[in-house]
Amino acid sequence: MSVFLDHASTTPVRPKALEAYLEALAHLGNPSSVHAHGRETRELLEQAREKLAKASHCDKSEVIFTSGGTESNNHAIKGIYWQRQLDRPRKYIISALTEHHALIDPIEWLEKHEGAVPLWLPVARDGQPDLVVYEDWLAKYGDEIALVSLMWVNNETGAIWDIPGIAGLAKQYGIPVHSDAVAAFGHIEISFQDSGLAAMSISGHKLGAPIGVGALLVARSQKPISIIHGGGQERGLRSGTMNYPHALSLAIAAELAVGDMAEREARLEGLRDSLEASLLAAIPQAQKTISGPRIGHTSSFVLPGVQSDSVLFLFDQHGISVSAGSACQAGVLGASHVLLAMGYSEAESSAVIRVTLGHSTTQQDIDLFTSSIAEVYATALKAGLNR
Ligand SMILES: Cc1ncc(COP(=O)(O)O)c(C=O)c1O
């Protein structure tokens, strides 16, 4: 019996999204070709654009299909930064070190190669950003700020930020705001048109579409500089033959995720709460990583005295997949950069466990997890003492 409780890393493809993908794949035609075959696949692509626009509340011309969250973040950060240098130099980028590396790294790349100056917003242990500092920076640096980029939901802790409020404050200074909504879209109510955002990143495999597809929503008022060049597809922002099967599966998954969101998230929140109660009963010294507003399907704890990698390995031996935070490329766990940025110590940030539930999670998954906690923790503690 295997249990998957790492839905923030990726979540099962919804059967209807898979069906749509396979059906679309059977159609032949380059969506940019003018002949009947091309027009047919263009029609599928435009259906996908319309569906995704409806699910995210934006205009269909604002949907740019990409390969996923990482690519969307790179287009937004670099594209808007360069766009904002056209009439005068603006070197500042406001963001936070609690963001995903798919956002921090493009900003650090701009710092190293283009002279950008990141302003990393302090984030408190409750999981919330310091909006007093944010307002001070807006007032102090004003028109020298190229953009603000802050995530809607943190993928490690589940913290929800008031992105429309953050965008509203920046608007007073005419500063464009991007949000990485990869952990948010399809899980909480989001309306791009009401958010005040200039751009927003979406990833398909976090909401039931296959890995390798995503979107960047770009407000019509924005003209980011393209980071890739070629045939000029997708408003000239994302050249390359349009991937209509993937786009369609993303749109169907988004439609379904938004459609059953209220009922699903309420169910998952109930399961999450019972999981947390069992975890705290087994390990009373465990600490929830945040106390502020958070998403219903994410649970993140510091387990004092252990190392995350031991805990993950021991759960894995019980057939249970959980994580410590972002799935990293090397598969080697260090301290969580998110917790470090929130002021947790190195030891605390290396002792974190993240359990994330998804549309396929059942009560039985939770029961199997909770029945292993005490043993896993006791063994991990011993392993820690022997290191
Ligand atoms: C918050 C966040 N942003 C961006 C990404 C990257 O998305 P993708 O895997 O689609 O490139 C992830 C993936 O874990 C994420 O959690």
Side-chain angles (χ1 to χ4, degrees):
M1 182 75 198
S2 77
V3 174
F4 187 76
L5 290 173
D6 190 16
H7 289 263
S9 70
T10 196
T11 200
V13 176
R14 291 189 181 240
K16 284 194 174 143
L18 179 62
E19 225 174 82
Y21 175 75
L22 294 173
E23 263 178 40
L25 207 54
H27 288 263
L28 166 69
N30 183 324
S32 297
S33 298
V34 292
H35 49 57
H37 286 89
R39 290 199 304 276
E40 197 179 309
T41 54
R42 164 67 75 161
E43 172 60 28
L44 294 176
L45 181 75
E46 295 313 320
Q47 270 177 26
R49 204 183 302 284
E50 242 165 73
K51 281 185 195 299
L52 186 59
K54 202 164 165 213
S56 56
H57 303 280
C58 70
D59 189 85
K60 65 181 171 34
S61 65
E62 295 175 318
V63 175
I64 307 296
F65 287 112
T66 67
S67 65
T70 304
E71 188 191 325
S72 297
N73 284 351
N74 271 268
H75 282 294
I77 296 296
K78 293 173 187 162
I80 297 176
Y81 181 82
W82 283 324
Q83 172 202 347
R84 295 274 291 161
Q85 309 307 311
L86 292 179
D87 59 336
R88 54 163 294 181
R90 295 181 174 94
K91 60 183 183 214
Y92 296 107
I93 302 175
I94 297 183
S95 188
L97 286 169
T98 48
E99 298 281 326
H100 193 277
H101 272 293
L103 194 107
I104 294 176
D105 289 29
I107 293 176
E108 289 183 341
W109 186 89
L110 285 174
E111 180 183 18
K112 190 162 171 209
H113 298 281
E114 297 285 311
V117 178
L119 297 171
W120 301 115
L121 200 59
V123 179
R125 279 173 81 117
D126 66 357
Q128 291 298 306
D130 189 331
L131 294 183
V132 175
V133 171
Y134 177 61
E135 287 198 62
D136 280 353
W137 284 349
L138 291 176
K140 183 167 173 198
Y141 299 110
D143 201 32
E144 282 180 90
I145 300 170
L147 76 151
V148 172
S149 180
L150 293 167
M151 72 205 310
W152 208 315
V153 167
N154 186 280
N155 57 301
E156 289 199 19
T157 62
I160 302 175
W161 287 2
D162 174 15
I163 291 301
I166 284 168
L169 291 168
K171 195 174 175 198
Q172 297 167 21
Y173 300 87
I175 301 165
V177 178
H178 161 257
S179 184
D180 175 341
V182 164
F185 178 63
H187 304 290
I188 58 170
E189 291 285 347
I190 284 186
S191 163
F192 182 69
Q193 74 197 4
D194 296 339
S195 67
L197 288 174
M200 185 180 105
S201 302
I202 292 173
S203 171
H205 71 106
K206 311 292 184 176
L207 48 90
I211 289 172
V213 63
L216 181 68
L217 307 184
V218 182
R220 277 170 293 184
S221 58
Q222 298 296 314
K223 293 197 173 24
I225 305 288
S226 182
I227 60 171
I228 50 171
H229 304 99
Q233 291 93 338
E234 300 291 282
R235 259 169 74 186
L237 259 174
R238 208 274 185 168
S239 287
T241 302
M242 286 95 90
N243 191 342
Y244 59 95
H246 258 125
L248 204 59
S249 64
L250 167 62
I252 300 282
E255 213 174 31
L256 294 169
V258 169
D260 62 23
M261 182 164 65
E263 176 263 322
R264 184 189 69 247
E265 289 294 319
R267 182 180 76 82
L268 296 181
E269 193 168 332
L271 291 176
R272 195 266 319 262
D273 290 349
S274 79
L275 177 150
E276 291 191 343
S278 307
L279 190 143
L280 285 167
I283 314 172
Q285 59 275 48
Q287 301 159 23
K288 274 187 206 168
T289 55
I290 58 166
S291 54
R294 63 179 179 144
I295 200 148
H297 61 263
T298 296
S299 188
S300 146
F301 279 91
V302 170
L303 305 180
V306 301
Q307 293 284 324
S308 304
D309 54 1
S310 307
V311 175
L312 266 53
F313 172 74
L314 290 162
F315 271 119
D316 192 38
Q317 286 197 320
H318 283 78
I320 299 166
S321 299
V322 291
S323 70
S326 300
C328 64
Q329 196 195 2
V332 180
L333 284 178
S336 155
H337 76 276
V338 173
L339 290 204
L340 286 173
M342 286 161 56
Y344 281 87
S345 68
E346 187 83 23
E348 289 169 319
S349 305
S350 308
V352 64
I353 175 181
R354 176 186 73 169
V355 184
T356 49
L357 284 49
H359 60 94
S360 59
T361 303
T362 62
Q363 180 67 53
Q364 196 188 11
D365 294 335
I366 305 301
D367 294 344
L368 285 165
F369 173 82
T370 53
S371 64
S372 313
I373 299 172
E375 187 189 327
V376 164
Y377 185 60
T379 315
L381 263 182
K382 268 192 229 144
L385 294 174
N386 293 335
R387 268 182 198 239

